[in-house]
């Protein structure tokens, strides 16, 4: 690849620990009932429609019509959404901090996230202000891995794919970025990501070597 000039982060699962199980474990009696509810009622595909721009009011109304016996639990996903956030993924936040301190690359984010809920994340996580630009799927009404949202990011911020590093925990998104010519890193944890970024010359191989 060309010398990296920009690094683009996915957010959920990379920098932010998001999981609806955190909420539903407080509302349902067992792990089995949580898994069943998320698989059969508030499914990933249902939530993905909010990431694509559907309003939460419409989402709750339509699903509650299909599962009236679960109306309160469905509404909780909207009303208590902040409880689906476990916190920051600290090791990745540290890498973001190092990249920011180094100042050699532009920092951007590309996330599948509801436009309605993203302001809550901005309020909670100060590190989101470190990015020069963030593309949110719910605002654009495009979701990863649609190549159009990757191209939108490149075009909006004047990025060259060949000198852009993309980090995501979802393999189809990684593949989509690769197809557009980006250097794509499949996130499985901060330690491996440090190794990969250090091989690109972007961070120290060992944080302790800088201290």
């Amino acid at each position: 690849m060309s010398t990296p000039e920009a690094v683009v982060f996915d957010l959920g699962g990379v920098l932010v620990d998001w999981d609806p199980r955190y909420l539903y474990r407080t509302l349902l009696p067992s792990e089995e009932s949580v898994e069943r509810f998320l698989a059969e009622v508030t499914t990933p595909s249902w939530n993905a429609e909010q990431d694509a721009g559907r309003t939460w009011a419409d989402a709750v109304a339509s699903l509650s019509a299909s599962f009236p016996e679960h109306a309160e639990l469905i509404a909780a996903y909207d009303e208590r959404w902040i409880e689906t956030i476990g916190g920051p993924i600290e090791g990745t936040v540290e890498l973001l901090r190092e990249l920011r301190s180094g100042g050699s690359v532009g920092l951007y984010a590309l996330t599948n996230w509801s436009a309605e809920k993203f302001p809550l994340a901005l309020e909670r996580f100060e590190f989101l202000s470190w990015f020069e630009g963030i593309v949110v799927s719910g605002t654009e009404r495009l979701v990863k891995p649609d190549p159009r949202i990757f191209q939108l990011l490149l075009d909006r911020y004047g990025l060259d794919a060949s000198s852009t590093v993309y980090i995501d925990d979802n393999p189809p998104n990684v593949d989509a970025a690769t197809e557009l010519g980006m250097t794509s890193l499949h996130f499985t944890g901060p330690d491996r990501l440090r190794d990969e970024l250090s091989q690109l010359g972007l961070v120290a191989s060992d944080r302790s070597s800088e201290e």
Side-chain angles (χ1 to χ4, degrees), residues 5-6 18 20 37 48 61 68 78-79 85 97 112 118 123 145 149 160 165 172 175 181 193 203:
E5 296 180 356
W18 172 84
F37 188 77
D78 176 25
E79 296 165 359
I85 298 291
R97 182 179 291 109
N112 282 354
F118 193 65
E123 290 174 10
I149 195 169
D160 178 2
V165 178
D175 292 344
L193 180 58
V203 299

Side-chain angles (χ1 to χ4, degrees), residues 109-176:
L110 174 60
T111 183
N112 282 354
W113 207 299
S114 158
E116 291 177 72
K117 302 305 183 187
F118 193 65
L120 299 178
L122 288 173
E123 290 174 10
R124 178 161 178 182
F125 298 112
E126 191 266 340
F127 64 80
L128 292 177
S129 69
W130 301 349
F131 290 108
E132 295 176 40
I134 302 176
V135 172
V136 178
S137 65
T139 301
E140 309 302 337
R141 295 184 175 271
L142 291 170
V143 294
K144 298 179 290 183
D146 189 327
R148 292 177 296 173
I149 195 169
F150 291 89
Q151 193 62 54
L152 184 152
L153 170 85
L154 296 172
D155 293 344
R156 178 170 294 169
Y157 299 110
L159 306 181
D160 178 2
S162 67
S163 58
T164 298
V165 178
Y166 179 71
I167 302 161
D168 200 302
D169 64 319
N170 189 335
N173 300 341
V174 173
D175 292 344

Side-chain angles (χ1 to χ4, degrees), residues 35-69:
E35 294 302 322
R36 185 167 59 249
F37 188 77
L38 293 175
E40 298 176 1
V41 185
T42 55
T43 63
S45 60
W46 174 77
N47 183 64
E49 290 296 320
Q50 285 77 271
D51 289 349
R54 178 171 64 179
T55 68
W56 274 91
D58 286 349
V60 169
S62 63
L63 196 62
S64 296
S66 298
F67 298 96
E69 71 277 19

